[in-house]
Amino acid sequence: MRRVCSILAVFCFGLLPSNSASAQDQQPEQNRPSKAPSKKDRKQQARKLAKESAPYNTWLGEEAIYIITKEERDAFLHLTTNEEREQFIEEFWRRRNPDPDSPDNAAREEHYRRIAYANERFSSGIPGWKTDRGRIYIIWGPPDEIDSHAAGGTYDRPAEQGGGSTTTYPWELWRYRHLEDIGENIEIEFVDPSGSGEYHQTMDPGEKDALAKVPGAGLSTCEQLGLCSKSQRFTNTNGTILPAPIGGIGLDEFDNLERYFKVQRPPEHFKDLAEMVSVRILRNQIHMDYRFDFLRVTRDSVLVAITLQVANRDLSFKGKDGVQSAVLNLYGRITTLSGRVVQTFEDVVSRDFPDSLFQSSVNLSSVYQKSVPLRSGLYRLDVVLKDAQSGNVGVIDAALRVPLYEEESLDASSLILADQIHPVPTSQIGQGPFVLGNYKVRPRINPEFSPADKMGIFLQLYNLKLDAQSHKTSVSVAYRILKDHQQVWKQDESSEQLQQSREQITIERNLPLSSLASGNYTLEIYVIDLLTNQTVTRTADFTVKPPLAAKPIT
């Protein structure tokens, strides 16, 4: 941002009129050829730049080398200032944070713990992070099992490796029960044929065979029976020097090769969004406001309404046949903290305005909503929005905490302040954006209203007690509006005045604001279940804007 401001400042100052006398005084100075920097000056400048960029080279070439994507690396190399590099690194770790709202970043802390462990455990003349075992440990963490043979020794081959006994170099087999994007029960083998302590990853289980090139030693079952020759090992087409397998079923060379290369890359659950980290720094970003609302569906699921808002002035409109149109491509992904994808959604959103209304509409905002069912828990939401015409991109990454609705306790949905609430036809109940049950409810993301507006209120109450005789609820609902913690308006309602659905009640109403002066307010809804004496409270802040001044007639 500072860089952009500096550029703008240069152009702005260039347009200002200058004093003619001072301009004439400066003209000869401007025409003088500038003195070329000496060789010594160039060396000093190079040393200074190298010293300033050293920490960032270390970060890119050592600390993040195994987990940074190609797109992120290319973007980082195009940055020109340390301020941009600092911002990039901050965004890099924030996107990997399982809880973006937390000041602590568990992913970053775990990453540096793994580097420290690799340096302590796997060093062998070179730092542990540079070794193959260090790389795998840093990318995937500790294996579930390690079969270690630090001194080598006798090894009985399994049938798929030809059977028979041999002597091995030092080797280790790491087993992971699950690796994301790779599969289940993944085995990674390391061998130290030089005995130096530097184990390297191998895709050939025969490489640990210390007797492979010793004639007549370490023979397989097939070789002992004289059915095959040891020299045939070195003509294998599967990239190994293993003996022929017993029963004819051996190593699947294609799976083996694919797995060998896959484990050397980090999981790609942010593959399609990875380049958006650099976009946030290197390109204009479309600013998005957003909110989450939660409504109980069943005992185990919650409907999460994700509402996004974009200012129309940030979009690129194109005119055709008297209509101004903008097109947005939207992609969203919801993942667990472990990175498991639970929901994805994508959509093409278009905004069309007649030429006659375009100037007034460009100062408004466009709102989009997607509702998804989720179980209670903590999730991560990533949304990418791209303007199809300009290529500008907006990105959201946020923690998504879905509440748990207990069965026996009085509870309530999110309190939604809306600019529109109205019933929908029976055929549209529960379908389409902004439809919550029997109503269309469009949230006001920035809860600002004019005195002429009616503020919509939507709230659902759950787990109300039913009277044993009447089979109805008995509820008292108090609405209060507070300004500076002082009550300025109050109204009460009973369950008879509200829409009931057995143990659930829906509150939907439009509140006139004409009696409120401009300023900031808090709406409080206080509910008492008169049959159980349980209570629940929901609050929401809103603002009443000053009325627009009438334009003078000229």
Side-chain angles (χ1 to χ4, degrees):
M1 181 62 73
R2 293 176 183 171
R3 188 179 178 196
V4 173
C5 292
S6 299
I7 294 172
L8 291 175
V10 170
F11 282 102
C12 290
F13 286 130
L15 295 175
L16 292 175
S18 59
N19 182 279
S20 57
S22 60
Q24 292 173 0
D25 292 341
Q26 293 174 6
Q27 190 65 30
E29 185 70 25
Q30 294 172 355
N31 291 335
R32 293 174 191 168
S34 59
K35 183 180 179 181
S38 65
K39 186 176 181 180
K40 181 179 179 181
D41 291 338
R42 290 197 300 270
K43 285 185 176 180
Q44 288 179 345
Q45 182 67 16
R47 282 196 296 268
K48 181 180 179 182
L49 292 175
K51 185 177 180 180
E52 290 178 351
S53 60
Y56 305 104
N57 292 336
T58 300
W59 181 84
L60 182 65
E62 298 181 17
E63 298 174 16
I65 187 172
Y66 299 139
I67 62 173
I68 193 169
T69 67
K70 180 182 182 301
E71 293 82 5
E72 289 173 322
R73 181 182 178 84
D74 291 343
F76 188 85
L77 292 174
H78 281 85
L79 301 178
T80 57
T81 69
N82 289 343
E83 184 181 37
E84 290 177 340
R85 296 182 184 104
E86 286 287 352
Q87 185 183 2
F88 182 99
I89 294 172
E90 181 181 346
E91 292 289 342
F92 176 91
W93 286 118
R94 193 167 70 87
R95 284 192 62 79
R96 286 160 172 81
N97 189 357
D99 184 2
D101 294 336
S102 171
D104 300 321
N105 191 320
R108 180 173 55 196
E109 292 173 4
E110 171 63 12
H111 177 72
Y112 284 101
R113 184 201 67 78
R114 293 179 184 181
I115 293 177
Y117 181 87
N119 287 335
E120 179 183 350
R121 177 70 177 79
F122 305 128
S123 295
S124 57
I126 60 174
W129 69 268
K130 284 188 174 182
T131 67
D132 285 2
R133 289 186 298 174
R135 180 184 67 251
I136 297 299
Y137 187 91
I138 290 170
I139 294 173
W140 299 107
D144 297 301
E145 300 176 34
I146 295 180
D147 186 7
S148 180
H149 302 266
T154 302
Y155 174 64
D156 295 324
R157 300 186 194 90
E160 64 270 16
Q161 295 183 15
S165 297
T166 188
T167 301
T168 67
Y169 300 116
W171 64 286
E172 286 186 359
L173 185 67
W174 290 13
R175 294 186 180 92
Y176 290 89
R177 294 190 185 94
H178 172 79
L179 291 182
E180 187 176 346
D181 297 332
I182 299 179
E184 312 296 325
N185 300 317
I186 303 301
E187 296 184 343
I188 305 173
E189 192 166 302
F190 305 91
V191 64
D192 178 18
S194 65
S196 64
E198 184 181 339
Y199 291 70
H200 68 261
Q201 182 185 353
T202 180
M203 60 180 177
D204 178 10
E207 188 178 354
K208 61 179 174 291
D209 189 345
L211 303 179
K213 297 181 180 179
V214 179
L219 298 179
S220 69
T221 301
C222 177
E223 293 162 355
Q224 291 174 14
L225 296 175
L227 301 177
C228 55
S229 168
K230 190 173 183 178
S231 62
Q232 291 176 306
R233 301 187 195 182
F234 302 97
T235 60
N236 289 339
T237 59
N238 61 6
T240 75
I241 55 172
L242 287 173
I246 300 174
I249 301 176
L251 191 70
D252 187 320
E253 59 181 296
F254 298 106
D255 285 348
N256 186 43
L257 184 65
E258 182 182 29
R259 182 168 58 250
Y260 176 82
F261 287 106
K262 272 190 171 183
V263 297
Q264 299 184 56
R265 301 192 300 267
E268 299 183 348
H269 50 272
F270 290 122
K271 181 178 179 180
D272 53 344
L273 301 180
E275 63 178 312
M276 295 305 144
V277 179
S278 59
V279 167
R280 299 184 71 175
I281 297 172
L282 300 178
R283 300 176 64 179
N284 294 329
Q285 181 186 0
I286 300 174
H287 176 74
M288 282 188 286
D289 292 314
Y290 63 93
R291 66 171 284 144
F292 309 134
D293 294 299
F294 307 101
L295 298 92
R296 189 191 69 175
V297 179
T298 67
R299 173 183 175 183
D300 299 322
S301 62
V302 176
L303 185 68
V304 182
I306 302 168
T307 309
L308 312 175
Q309 179 174 284
V310 179
N312 290 338
R313 63 176 175 274
D314 292 340
L315 308 182
S316 296
F317 287 86
K318 186 176 182 180
K320 184 178 180 180
D321 299 329
V323 177
Q324 296 288 332
S325 300
V327 178
L328 302 173
N329 297 322
L330 182 144
Y331 176 83
R333 171 179 285 176
I334 300 172
T335 56
T336 64
L337 295 187
S338 63
R340 181 175 63 88
V341 178
V342 294
Q343 286 277 359
T344 61
F345 54 92
E346 54 187 26
D347 208 344
V348 177
V349 184
S350 60
R351 298 295 291 150
D352 302 310
F353 300 109
D355 286 343
S356 58
L357 300 177
F358 179 66
Q359 289 303 321
S360 59
S361 300
V362 79
N363 294 321
L364 304 177
S365 295
S366 296
V367 184
Y368 171 87
Q369 187 180 84
K370 180 69 176 180
S371 295
V372 295
L374 293 172
R375 294 179 180 272
S376 64
L378 180 60
Y379 300 87
R380 178 190 181 101
L381 171 69
D382 290 275
V383 176
V384 176
L385 186 71
K386 183 176 182 179
D387 190 316
Q389 297 190 63
S390 69
N392 288 342
V393 173
V395 178
I396 290 175
D397 53 72
L400 181 58
R401 294 179 177 87
V402 180
L404 173 65
Y405 289 106
E406 300 286 354
E407 279 194 311
E408 301 299 327
S409 300
L410 177 64
D411 214 331
S413 69
S414 303
L415 172 56
I416 303 176
L417 302 185
D419 50 29
Q420 286 185 16
I421 294 183
H422 56 78
V424 296
T426 304
S427 60
Q428 297 179 17
I429 291 177
Q431 298 181 6
F434 310 114
V435 177
L436 303 177
N438 301 335
Y439 295 92
K440 183 170 185 178
V441 183
R442 192 174 74 178
R444 180 71 65 94
I445 291 186
N446 298 318
E448 295 183 345
F449 300 86
S450 72
D453 292 333
K454 288 186 177 181
M455 183 174 68
I457 301 171
F458 187 88
L459 182 71
Q460 290 182 343
L461 306 176
Y462 309 123
N463 303 325
L464 295 162
K465 183 73 172 178
L466 294 175
D467 182 80
Q469 295 181 349
S470 66
H471 303 289
K472 294 183 178 180
T473 62
S474 181
V475 177
S476 174
V477 180
Y479 305 89
R480 300 173 65 209
I481 293 181
L482 309 176
K483 181 177 175 59
D484 299 328
H485 306 288
Q486 300 296 317
Q487 178 178 301
V488 297
W489 179 85
K490 181 181 180 181
Q491 184 172 321
D492 295 328
E493 282 185 325
S494 63
S495 49
E496 287 78 10
Q497 300 169 278
L498 301 169
Q499 179 188 355
Q500 297 191 38
S501 178
R502 291 188 62 79
E503 79 284 356
Q504 179 172 314
I505 285 181
T506 297
I507 297 174
E508 56 80 24
R509 58 180 299 168
N510 289 289
L511 180 66
L513 302 177
S514 56
S515 62
L516 299 180
S518 60
N520 298 321
Y521 296 88
T522 298
L523 171 66
E524 178 186 273
I525 300 181
Y526 178 73
V527 180
I528 304 176
D529 186 336
L530 300 176
L531 298 178
T532 63
N533 287 325
Q534 292 183 342
T535 65
V536 65
T537 305
R538 290 290 185 265
T539 62
D541 295 329
F542 68 97
T543 300
V544 176
K545 300 180 295 183
L548 295 175
K551 294 183 179 180
I553 300 175
T554 59

